[in-house]
Amino acid sequence: MTGTLDTMSSATVHGAPPADPPLLDVGELRKRFPVSGTLGLIGRLRRRMKGGPIHLPHVYAVDDVSFTIGKGETVGLVGESGCGKSTLVRVLTRLLDPSGGIVRLGGRELSLTPARRFAKDPDRARIQMVFQDAGESVNPRFTAFAAIADPLRRLRGLRGAALTAKVEKAADQCGLPRALLSRFPHQLSGGQRARVGIARAVAVEPALLVLDEPTAALDVSVQVVILQLLERLKTELGMSYLFVSHDLGVVRLLCDRVLVMYLGKIVESGPARAVFANPLHPYTRALVDAAPSLHDRGAGRIRLQGEPRSPIDPDPNVCRFYGRCPKGTDLCRAEMPALRRFGERDVACHFAEEITAR
Amino acid sequence: MTAVPALLVENLSVEFRTRSGTVQALERVSFAVPKGETLAIVGESGSGKSVTAYAVMGILDPAGKITAGRAMLGGLDLLAATADQVAAVRGREIAMIFQNPRTALNPIRTVGSQIADVLIRHANVPRREAPGRAVDLLRDVGITDPARRAKAYPFEMSGGMCQRVMIAIALAAKPSVLIADEPTTGLDVTTQAVIMDLIGDLARDIGMATIFITHDLALAAQRADRIVVMHAGHVIENAPTAELFARPRHPYTAELIAATPDAAASLAELASIPGSLPDLRRIDLPPCRYAERCPRRRVDCDAELPPAPAIPEHVVACRNPLS
């Protein structure tokens, strides 16, 4: 690896070759939430009466995130809880409005449509989501049939025999026996529920499927089957995946590329195998080291100490990982590292070259 | 292995009476943990891992009934002891931490007062000194600013911190045996590593035996000295960790290892395990509950297996094991 140090804007860095425009193009996406609790209602009223500024502190949940997902590509998104994965997913799936930046799906700018109106948008069907535990995310009073039929009815306007045919087709594609369609979620096993969750998402033929830890609640033997099902569906239906997961082992197997997120920012991205085999960012290194493996007893791994920095109004000049990072120098406290390109990878660390050189 | 294990479970059988029939949840489960060692119990959901722990701790659901077996903690058989005898050792000699720390803690009391309770009840700490000792314990489990955190409620803390509080409570009286039921499920991998390090370090300090229940084979591989594999209420294999992964003998163990993502180079290489757990309400449950899923099944698999000893080097409950 040569380690070219030209610091390009991240939007261009992630750009796919111009011949094949990406399916999803996310640029400088930001989502901030005001934190009113620190001041309280009385405090805010008092401040307003004094005519003072009513600036509230904000949680920087997603901060300047750019990436693309190509057609047919599977991109993994990993990071600790609280790092902004879920917020990012909710903004991308247009359940939340971004505070800034763009979300472009197949050339169309989606962030201009408010989340409230997007529910009725023709593009709603093109981004679908599979949630973590279908036992909890599927309406317990809906049968499997009703759960799969609901998005088809609302988004595709199907009724009657056409609807039934489509539901049965989705069930067949997901390996859910038709005899189970009349059952309620609590009458299904974990694996069958996962299939219902997938079937309802793919029934409306989305271009992009966002999967939020789809196998986290499953045993390994069932997980294997579901992962292989997802892999097959992707090819059969020509979808792209954004795969959110804690389980680095699963991400390594399923994903072409991976994004590593820490406190609202992408700290490393690149081909999944390369990133996990040789992490360049100290946080990625710590994540990989922390993931238990059948083959090593974890000797010599980086142990992360301390709690993450506060995401509320973070200092723009301090690396978000500073304080937990085993490297942590004065430079990290004085200048936020930008994403820089290393071959096929992007890394936001001042010391990435040292790690490349190893 | 040392002569006297810290906890010895022998031929433990548990059944649950339900409206739709009696569930044979555990049948002749045996294992032992020596002082200072970590034993992992692994298996898929429904294999009986948690029921084993609950039975030993005497906190089984009222529908559950222990039909046979003994659980020796030092000289005391926990299963035959009176409620008073069990109450006297539970929390002092044998303690447990649960899967979801947030629901296991009392939501309307500060964590400091919950730790103080345990100190007063189990560690003979005078009431006046308990709050101060609770702060010390919070420091021991690596919580920064423990004096302030002692006044916090569980909802004000992250999942990792709540689990540290649970560990502080469980270890307050320096028990000789700790049962940790999926202590890191739902936590981040980085937090998981910290919590497991913490349990390991504290166990080493006080020479405690740890029984660690998990469905994560890779985590067990990394943390345990010995692994017990359960399937449908049976212990099907029990071996030192390195030995189990190098030479799994039960076909089910081998399949579990092959299904773990860590082991595979590609998705296609991951092997699924055909079939599912048998219905444990069946009256005609076969002696080997894996037989109906087993690729190595033979005619003699339908014959009763001799009960496995609790203290073996490598035990496998199979008539046709892999060699």
Side-chain angles (χ1 to χ4, degrees), chain B residues 95-180:
Chain B
M96 182 161 175
I97 51 183
F98 297 88
Q99 183 172 149
N100 192 335
R102 231 181 272 273
T103 53
L105 289 169
N106 185 335
I108 57 164
R109 297 190 58 217
T110 63
V111 297
S113 65
Q114 296 186 52
I115 300 173
D117 281 353
V118 182
L119 288 168
I120 296 164
R121 172 88 168 75
H122 295 307
N124 304 322
V125 173
R127 193 163 285 276
R128 267 178 301 115
E129 291 171 25
R133 288 282 302 278
V135 173
D136 294 343
L137 279 174
L138 284 177
R139 190 176 296 117
D140 290 348
V141 294
I143 287 183
T144 47
D145 199 357
R148 188 171 62 85
R149 287 296 179 182
K151 298 197 184 76
Y153 291 90
F155 74 89
E156 295 175 293
M157 303 182 128
S158 66
M161 281 218 271
C162 285
Q163 195 56 282
R164 286 172 203 239
V165 171
M166 283 296 298
I167 293 169
I169 289 176
L171 302 188
K174 300 199 168 25
S176 54
V177 177
L178 174 74
I179 302 182

Side-chain angles (χ1 to χ4, degrees), chain A residues 49-64:
Chain A
M49 268 152 51
K50 282 186 188 156
I54 46 166
H55 169 77
L56 291 170
H58 280 72
V59 170
Y60 284 47
V62 174
D63 194 17
D64 201 6

